[in-house]
Amino acid sequence: MKVSKEIRIALVAMGAIVLLYFGMNFLKGMSLFSSNNRYFISFDDVTGLASSSPIYANGFRVGVVKKVDYNYQNPDADIKVEVDIDPKLELPKGSSAEIVSDMLGNVQVNLIVKSDGTGKLNPGDVIPGKVSSGALGQVKDMIPAIEKMLPKLDSIMGSLNMLLADPAIAQSLHHVEAISGNLITTSNELNTLMANLNKRMPGLMTKVDGVLDNTSQLTGNLSALDVASTLARVDATLDNVKQLTAQLNSNQGSLGLLMRDPQLYNHLNATVRDADSLLIDLKSHPKRYVHFSVFGKKDK
């Protein structure tokens, strides 16, 4: 049977279309003849998610998004995403999924595998899902706070510019430079002083040892003194002084009588007065008491 040229062209075109279809699915990570388990994930928002988006579990690729079904009759209903998961991965109940976007806008689905201890999910079951804000979401949440901070930052920058424009700042910096130079000089002098001190330290230690030896000798001499005997002598001397004081205060003895007898005091006082009168009269009339003449005659 002879095949016409038109039929051969048609068969080649059909084969090319089939190869193109399988090639495109292969490039997307989808396989028509695989035995992957099919699950459904429900999202309230599938921003950026599309068919052939990868699915990861703990950073390892385990499947691919097969189809996204949007309920046009009930827009408020959750959006179901059909996914193919590697059958080697057994999803425990309690697992969930989240849509994650990176800085470049690439979207992927991360499976959060977490068992609640009640069994495994079967193919065809629905997995709850959510959209993860990621780093971009955190930056978006920070925008209102940043907007409130901008006026304060502007005021701070203005004050900082005024402060830096003040010539006193430059003068202070020059002073700081001079102070740093003085500190360096002082540090060098201190190092020199410490070096000299280290050189003289052996001699100083020798002198200190000599002083300590003298101190030890003085301490030994003090300890050798008969302190008890000295104190006994002091006590005896104090007793003698006490006895002398007692005798002076009594009427016994010459000193006691002189200090205690008022009659003796009066006699002595009268004798002193008589002697004083005698001296005055002697000065006034010396001829009454001295008789002297060249010719041997007496004055009457």
Side-chain angles (χ1 to χ4, degrees):
M1 181 178 177
K2 187 176 181 180
V3 180
S4 63
K5 183 177 180 181
E6 289 79 5
I7 295 175
R8 285 183 291 178
I9 294 174
L11 292 174
V12 171
M14 292 177 62
I17 293 172
V18 172
L19 291 174
L20 179 63
Y21 176 75
F22 282 105
M24 293 294 294
N25 288 332
F26 177 78
L27 293 176
K28 293 179 180 180
M30 301 170 62
S31 177
L32 296 178
F33 303 104
S34 65
S35 58
N36 290 341
N37 293 331
R38 183 165 297 178
Y39 295 90
F40 295 93
I41 305 175
S42 61
F43 293 102
D44 57 359
D45 189 353
V46 290
T47 302
L49 189 65
S51 298
S52 73
S53 294
I55 300 175
Y56 293 89
N58 297 327
F60 183 76
R61 182 167 178 169
V62 295
V64 67
V65 175
K66 189 72 174 179
K67 184 173 59 174
V68 178
D69 291 331
Y70 180 75
N71 191 345
Y72 291 96
Q73 286 74 26
N74 186 10
D76 295 332
D78 290 340
I79 301 173
K80 287 188 177 181
V81 177
E82 183 180 342
V83 297
D84 284 344
I85 304 297
D86 192 332
K88 296 179 182 179
L89 177 63
E90 295 182 356
L91 293 176
K93 291 184 178 180
S95 299
S96 60
E98 63 179 4
I99 299 175
V100 180
S101 300
D102 57 17
M103 298 295 293
L104 299 178
N106 299 320
V107 179
Q108 67 184 37
V109 177
N110 287 337
L111 290 176
I112 302 174
V113 181
K114 184 177 181 181
S115 175
D116 60 0
T118 58
K120 304 291 183 181
L121 291 174
N122 297 319
D125 289 343
V126 179
I127 303 173
K130 63 179 181 179
V131 178
S132 176
S133 59
L136 292 177
Q138 295 177 0
V139 172
K140 182 178 179 181
D141 295 338
M142 292 173 61
I143 288 177
I146 295 174
E147 289 179 348
K148 293 180 180 179
M149 291 175 60
L150 286 178
K152 296 181 180 179
L153 290 176
D154 185 42
S155 176
I156 293 173
M157 292 302 296
S159 301
L160 184 60
N161 289 331
M162 293 177 61
L163 182 63
L164 293 177
D166 192 349
I169 298 296
Q171 187 176 2
S172 299
L173 293 176
H174 288 301
H175 290 168
V176 169
E177 183 178 1
I179 292 172
S180 299
N182 293 333
L183 288 176
I184 293 173
T185 303
T186 304
S187 178
N188 294 332
E189 293 177 353
L190 183 60
N191 291 332
T192 304
L193 178 61
M194 291 301 297
N196 294 332
L197 184 60
N198 290 332
K199 292 180 181 178
R200 299 179 181 178
M201 186 59 67
L204 292 176
M205 293 303 296
T206 303
K207 294 181 180 179
V208 171
D209 292 337
V211 173
L212 291 177
D213 293 337
N214 294 334
T215 304
S216 300
Q217 185 176 0
L218 178 60
T219 305
N221 295 333
L222 290 175
S223 62
L225 293 175
D226 191 358
V227 179
S229 177
T230 302
L231 292 177
R233 293 175 183 175
V234 172
D235 290 338
T237 302
L238 292 176
D239 290 337
N240 293 330
V241 172
K242 186 182 297 184
Q243 293 177 5
L244 177 60
T245 304
Q247 291 178 359
L248 291 176
N249 291 329
S250 66
N251 294 329
Q252 299 177 359
S254 300
L255 291 176
L257 292 173
L258 288 174
M259 295 177 64
R260 295 288 181 176
D261 190 358
Q263 186 177 2
L264 178 60
Y265 170 77
N266 294 329
H267 290 168
L268 289 175
N269 195 15
T271 302
V272 171
R273 285 199 302 270
D274 293 341
D276 186 44
S277 299
L278 179 60
L279 288 174
I280 293 172
D281 186 65
L282 179 61
K283 290 180 180 180
S284 300
H285 307 90
K287 292 181 178 182
R288 292 180 182 178
Y289 303 96
V290 180
H291 301 282
F292 178 77
S293 176
V294 178
F295 301 101
K297 290 179 71 175
K298 293 183 181 180
D299 292 335
K300 291 184 180 180

mmCIF file of all heavy atoms in Angstrom, residues 78-109:
data_model
loop_
_atom_site.group_PDB
_atom_site.id
_atom_site.type_symbol
_atom_site.label_atom_id
_atom_site.label_comp_id
_atom_site.label_asym_id
_atom_site.label_seq_id
_atom_site.Cartn_x
_atom_site.Cartn_y
_atom_site.Cartn_z
ATOM 1 N N ASP A 78 -12.930 29.146 48.831
ATOM 2 C CA ASP A 78 -11.499 28.912 48.712
ATOM 3 C C ASP A 78 -11.149 28.417 47.311
ATOM 4 O O ASP A 78 -11.947 27.752 46.634
ATOM 5 C CB ASP A 78 -11.041 27.883 49.752
ATOM 6 C CG ASP A 78 -11.092 28.439 51.165
ATOM 7 O OD1 ASP A 78 -11.114 29.685 51.304
ATOM 8 O OD2 ASP A 78 -11.109 27.638 52.112
ATOM 9 N N ILE A 79 -9.924 28.749 46.911
ATOM 10 C CA ILE A 79 -9.425 28.316 45.601
ATOM 11 C C ILE A 79 -8.692 26.992 45.810
ATOM 12 O O ILE A 79 -7.803 26.889 46.663
ATOM 13 C CB ILE A 79 -8.482 29.369 45.009
ATOM 14 C CG1 ILE A 79 -9.215 30.704 44.868
ATOM 15 C CG2 ILE A 79 -7.936 28.907 43.670
ATOM 16 C CD1 ILE A 79 -8.321 31.852 44.454
ATOM 17 N N LYS A 80 -9.090 25.983 45.016
ATOM 18 C CA LYS A 80 -8.458 24.672 45.141
ATOM 19 C C LYS A 80 -7.344 24.538 44.117
ATOM 20 O O LYS A 80 -7.537 24.836 42.934
ATOM 21 C CB LYS A 80 -9.484 23.553 44.957
ATOM 22 C CG LYS A 80 -10.428 23.403 46.140
ATOM 23 C CD LYS A 80 -11.299 22.155 46.002
ATOM 24 C CE LYS A 80 -12.179 21.982 47.223
ATOM 25 N NZ LYS A 80 -13.020 20.759 47.138
ATOM 26 N N VAL A 81 -6.211 24.093 44.589
ATOM 27 C CA VAL A 81 -5.042 23.907 43.737
ATOM 28 C C VAL A 81 -4.751 22.414 43.696
ATOM 29 O O VAL A 81 -4.541 21.768 44.731
ATOM 30 C CB VAL A 81 -3.830 24.683 44.271
ATOM 31 C CG1 VAL A 81 -2.611 24.422 43.401
ATOM 32 C CG2 VAL A 81 -4.140 26.173 44.324
ATOM 33 N N GLU A 82 -4.757 21.868 42.478
ATOM 34 C CA GLU A 82 -4.460 20.453 42.298
ATOM 35 C C GLU A 82 -2.949 20.278 42.164
ATOM 36 O O GLU A 82 -2.308 20.941 41.343
ATOM 37 C CB GLU A 82 -5.176 19.932 41.052
ATOM 38 C CG GLU A 82 -4.993 18.447 40.811
ATOM 39 C CD GLU A 82 -5.722 17.992 39.555
ATOM 40 O OE1 GLU A 82 -6.621 18.731 39.096
ATOM 41 O OE2 GLU A 82 -5.380 16.918 39.047
ATOM 42 N N VAL A 83 -2.382 19.378 42.982
ATOM 43 C CA VAL A 83 -0.931 19.192 42.989
ATOM 44 C C VAL A 83 -0.604 17.713 42.873
ATOM 45 O O VAL A 83 -1.397 16.844 43.261
ATOM 46 C CB VAL A 83 -0.303 19.765 44.280
ATOM 47 C CG1 VAL A 83 -0.522 21.268 44.374
ATOM 48 C CG2 VAL A 83 -0.865 19.087 45.520
ATOM 49 N N ASP A 84 0.562 17.435 42.279
ATOM 50 C CA ASP A 84 1.102 16.080 42.203
ATOM 51 C C ASP A 84 2.292 15.983 43.164
ATOM 52 O O ASP A 84 3.237 16.776 43.075
ATOM 53 C CB ASP A 84 1.555 15.748 40.782
ATOM 54 C CG ASP A 84 0.380 15.451 39.863
ATOM 55 O OD1 ASP A 84 -0.715 15.214 40.398
ATOM 56 O OD2 ASP A 84 0.567 15.471 38.633
ATOM 57 N N ILE A 85 2.217 15.024 44.072
ATOM 58 C CA ILE A 85 3.248 14.843 45.086
ATOM 59 C C ILE A 85 3.912 13.487 44.872
ATOM 60 O O ILE A 85 3.242 12.492 44.540
ATOM 61 C CB ILE A 85 2.656 14.926 46.515
ATOM 62 C CG1 ILE A 85 1.921 16.262 46.710
ATOM 63 C CG2 ILE A 85 3.746 14.769 47.565
ATOM 64 C CD1 ILE A 85 2.801 17.472 46.604
ATOM 65 N N ASP A 86 5.215 13.454 45.067
ATOM 66 C CA ASP A 86 5.968 12.210 44.949
ATOM 67 C C ASP A 86 5.377 11.174 45.910
ATOM 68 O O ASP A 86 5.180 11.436 47.090
ATOM 69 C CB ASP A 86 7.431 12.478 45.308
ATOM 70 C CG ASP A 86 8.341 11.310 44.930
ATOM 71 O OD1 ASP A 86 7.859 10.170 44.896
ATOM 72 O OD2 ASP A 86 9.543 11.565 44.701
ATOM 73 N N PRO A 87 5.054 9.968 45.404
ATOM 74 C CA PRO A 87 4.427 8.953 46.268
ATOM 75 C C PRO A 87 5.326 8.495 47.410
ATOM 76 O O PRO A 87 4.839 7.910 48.382
ATOM 77 C CB PRO A 87 4.114 7.811 45.302
ATOM 78 C CG PRO A 87 5.043 8.001 44.154
ATOM 79 C CD PRO A 87 5.232 9.485 44.029
ATOM 80 N N LYS A 88 6.604 8.743 47.313
ATOM 81 C CA LYS A 88 7.490 8.341 48.404
ATOM 82 C C LYS A 88 7.250 9.183 49.668
ATOM 83 O O LYS A 88 7.593 8.751 50.767
ATOM 84 C CB LYS A 88 8.943 8.498 47.980
ATOM 85 C CG LYS A 88 9.334 7.589 46.823
ATOM 86 C CD LYS A 88 10.801 7.823 46.438
ATOM 87 C CE LYS A 88 11.185 6.947 45.249
ATOM 88 N NZ LYS A 88 12.595 7.183 44.846
ATOM 89 N N LEU A 89 6.644 10.372 49.479
ATOM 90 C CA LEU A 89 6.365 11.252 50.607
ATOM 91 C C LEU A 89 4.977 10.953 51.144
ATOM 92 O O LEU A 89 3.971 11.146 50.456
ATOM 93 C CB LEU A 89 6.455 12.721 50.188
ATOM 94 C CG LEU A 89 6.123 13.751 51.264
ATOM 95 C CD1 LEU A 89 7.113 13.674 52.425
ATOM 96 C CD2 LEU A 89 6.097 15.163 50.677
ATOM 97 N N GLU A 90 4.920 10.472 52.373
ATOM 98 C CA GLU A 90 3.643 10.217 53.034
ATOM 99 C C GLU A 90 3.324 11.415 53.924
ATOM 100 O O GLU A 90 4.053 11.715 54.873
ATOM 101 C CB GLU A 90 3.719 8.941 53.870
ATOM 102 C CG GLU A 90 3.928 7.692 53.027
ATOM 103 C CD GLU A 90 3.942 6.436 53.890
ATOM 104 O OE1 GLU A 90 3.873 6.587 55.136
ATOM 105 O OE2 GLU A 90 4.017 5.338 53.325
ATOM 106 N N LEU A 91 2.243 12.078 53.574
ATOM 107 C CA LEU A 91 1.863 13.283 54.313
ATOM 108 C C LEU A 91 1.021 12.907 55.514
ATOM 109 O O LEU A 91 -0.071 12.342 55.357
ATOM 110 C CB LEU A 91 1.080 14.229 53.402
ATOM 111 C CG LEU A 91 1.864 14.851 52.254
ATOM 112 C CD1 LEU A 91 0.938 15.678 51.373
ATOM 113 C CD2 LEU A 91 2.986 15.719 52.781
ATOM 114 N N PRO A 92 1.476 13.209 56.728
ATOM 115 C CA PRO A 92 0.658 12.925 57.911
ATOM 116 C C PRO A 92 -0.448 13.957 58.055
ATOM 117 O O PRO A 92 -0.363 15.067 57.533
ATOM 118 C CB PRO A 92 1.672 13.018 59.061
ATOM 119 C CG PRO A 92 2.726 13.928 58.559
ATOM 120 C CD PRO A 92 2.808 13.721 57.072
ATOM 121 N N LYS A 93 -1.482 13.577 58.766
ATOM 122 C CA LYS A 93 -2.562 14.521 59.045
ATOM 123 C C LYS A 93 -2.033 15.640 59.941
ATOM 124 O O LYS A 93 -1.227 15.410 60.821
ATOM 125 C CB LYS A 93 -3.727 13.813 59.724
ATOM 126 C CG LYS A 93 -4.463 12.856 58.796
ATOM 127 C CD LYS A 93 -5.673 12.249 59.485
ATOM 128 C CE LYS A 93 -6.430 11.327 58.516
ATOM 129 N NZ LYS A 93 -7.627 10.719 59.148
ATOM 130 N N GLY A 94 -2.539 16.839 59.691
ATOM 131 C CA GLY A 94 -2.030 18.014 60.381
ATOM 132 C C GLY A 94 -1.046 18.800 59.543
ATOM 133 O O GLY A 94 -0.629 19.891 59.947
ATOM 134 N N SER A 95 -0.668 18.266 58.365
ATOM 135 C CA SER A 95 0.237 18.996 57.483
ATOM 136 C C SER A 95 -0.500 20.149 56.830
ATOM 137 O O SER A 95 -1.731 20.142 56.686
ATOM 138 C CB SER A 95 0.803 18.058 56.417
ATOM 139 O OG SER A 95 1.531 17.006 57.007
ATOM 140 N N SER A 96 0.249 21.164 56.415
ATOM 141 C CA SER A 96 -0.330 22.329 55.750
ATOM 142 C C SER A 96 0.623 22.808 54.670
ATOM 143 O O SER A 96 1.718 22.250 54.487
ATOM 144 C CB SER A 96 -0.599 23.451 56.763
ATOM 145 O OG SER A 96 0.610 23.840 57.389
ATOM 146 N N ALA A 97 0.202 23.837 53.945
ATOM 147 C CA ALA A 97 1.008 24.369 52.856
ATOM 148 C C ALA A 97 0.938 25.887 52.876
ATOM 149 O O ALA A 97 -0.028 26.472 53.382
ATOM 150 C CB ALA A 97 0.523 23.835 51.510
ATOM 151 N N GLU A 98 1.958 26.515 52.313
ATOM 152 C CA GLU A 98 1.984 27.969 52.240
ATOM 153 C C GLU A 98 2.653 28.403 50.950
ATOM 154 O O GLU A 98 3.563 27.735 50.435
ATOM 155 C CB GLU A 98 2.716 28.560 53.446
ATOM 156 C CG GLU A 98 4.174 28.180 53.547
ATOM 157 C CD GLU A 98 4.870 28.818 54.739
ATOM 158 O OE1 GLU A 98 4.174 29.498 55.514
ATOM 159 O OE2 GLU A 98 6.097 28.641 54.874
ATOM 160 N N ILE A 99 2.159 29.526 50.415
ATOM 161 C CA ILE A 99 2.726 30.107 49.205
ATOM 162 C C ILE A 99 3.786 31.113 49.618
ATOM 163 O O ILE A 99 3.535 32.002 50.438
ATOM 164 C CB ILE A 99 1.639 30.782 48.353
ATOM 165 C CG1 ILE A 99 0.596 29.756 47.917
ATOM 166 C CG2 ILE A 99 2.256 31.473 47.148
ATOM 167 C CD1 ILE A 99 -0.573 30.363 47.162
ATOM 168 N N VAL A 100 4.993 30.986 49.047
ATOM 169 C CA VAL A 100 6.122 31.831 49.410
ATOM 170 C C VAL A 100 6.651 32.494 48.152
ATOM 171 O O VAL A 100 6.815 31.842 47.112
ATOM 172 C CB VAL A 100 7.238 31.011 50.094
ATOM 173 C CG1 VAL A 100 8.409 31.913 50.461
ATOM 174 C CG2 VAL A 100 6.700 30.318 51.329
ATOM 175 N N SER A 101 6.929 33.800 48.258
ATOM 176 C CA SER A 101 7.518 34.554 47.149
ATOM 177 C C SER A 101 8.887 35.069 47.583
ATOM 178 O O SER A 101 9.059 35.543 48.710
ATOM 179 C CB SER A 101 6.624 35.732 46.750
ATOM 180 O OG SER A 101 5.348 35.281 46.349
ATOM 181 N N ASP A 102 9.870 34.975 46.676
ATOM 182 C CA ASP A 102 11.196 35.491 46.992
ATOM 183 C C ASP A 102 11.316 36.931 46.506
ATOM 184 O O ASP A 102 10.363 37.530 46.003
ATOM 185 C CB ASP A 102 12.288 34.602 46.394
ATOM 186 C CG ASP A 102 12.151 34.451 44.883
ATOM 187 O OD1 ASP A 102 11.431 35.276 44.257
ATOM 188 O OD2 ASP A 102 12.760 33.531 44.312
ATOM 189 N N MET A 103 12.510 37.521 46.660
ATOM 190 C CA MET A 103 12.726 38.913 46.297
ATOM 191 C C MET A 103 12.567 39.154 44.803
ATOM 192 O O MET A 103 12.258 40.266 44.379
ATOM 193 C CB MET A 103 14.126 39.331 46.739
ATOM 194 C CG MET A 103 14.351 39.253 48.252
ATOM 195 S SD MET A 103 13.335 40.416 49.195
ATOM 196 C CE MET A 103 14.034 41.975 48.670
ATOM 197 N N LEU A 104 12.780 38.110 43.990
ATOM 198 C CA LEU A 104 12.667 38.260 42.538
ATOM 199 C C LEU A 104 11.263 37.999 42.028
ATOM 200 O O LEU A 104 11.022 38.074 40.815
ATOM 201 C CB LEU A 104 13.648 37.303 41.849
ATOM 202 C CG LEU A 104 15.130 37.533 42.170
ATOM 203 C CD1 LEU A 104 15.991 36.486 41.454
ATOM 204 C CD2 LEU A 104 15.556 38.933 41.761
ATOM 205 N N GLY A 105 10.329 37.670 42.921
ATOM 206 C CA GLY A 105 8.953 37.432 42.508
ATOM 207 C C GLY A 105 8.647 35.996 42.163
ATOM 208 O O GLY A 105 7.524 35.696 41.740
ATOM 209 N N ASN A 106 9.601 35.070 42.301
ATOM 210 C CA ASN A 106 9.338 33.657 42.034
ATOM 211 C C ASN A 106 8.473 33.079 43.139
ATOM 212 O O ASN A 106 8.699 33.340 44.328
ATOM 213 C CB ASN A 106 10.650 32.877 41.938
ATOM 214 C CG ASN A 106 11.526 33.386 40.799
ATOM 215 O OD1 ASN A 106 11.026 33.711 39.730
ATOM 216 N ND2 ASN A 106 12.823 33.463 41.042
ATOM 217 N N VAL A 107 7.461 32.302 42.737
ATOM 218 C CA VAL A 107 6.482 31.768 43.677
ATOM 219 C C VAL A 107 6.640 30.258 43.763
ATOM 220 O O VAL A 107 6.847 29.573 42.749
ATOM 221 C CB VAL A 107 5.043 32.127 43.238
ATOM 222 C CG1 VAL A 107 4.021 31.551 44.212
ATOM 223 C CG2 VAL A 107 4.882 33.635 43.145
ATOM 224 N N GLN A 108 6.527 29.731 44.966
ATOM 225 C CA GLN A 108 6.591 28.293 45.188
ATOM 226 C C GLN A 108 5.687 27.942 46.361
ATOM 227 O O GLN A 108 5.251 28.810 47.112
ATOM 228 C CB GLN A 108 8.020 27.829 45.490
ATOM 229 C CG GLN A 108 8.563 28.337 46.808
ATOM 230 C CD GLN A 108 10.006 27.943 47.039
ATOM 231 O OE1 GLN A 108 10.795 27.914 46.102
ATOM 232 N NE2 GLN A 108 10.341 27.643 48.291
ATOM 233 N N VAL A 109 5.401 26.648 46.494
ATOM 234 C CA VAL A 109 4.566 26.141 47.577
ATOM 235 C C VAL A 109 5.443 25.309 48.504
ATOM 236 O O VAL A 109 6.144 24.398 48.032
ATOM 237 C CB VAL A 109 3.392 25.301 47.035
ATOM 238 C CG1 VAL A 109 2.570 24.729 48.190
ATOM 239 C CG2 VAL A 109 2.501 26.140 46.135
#
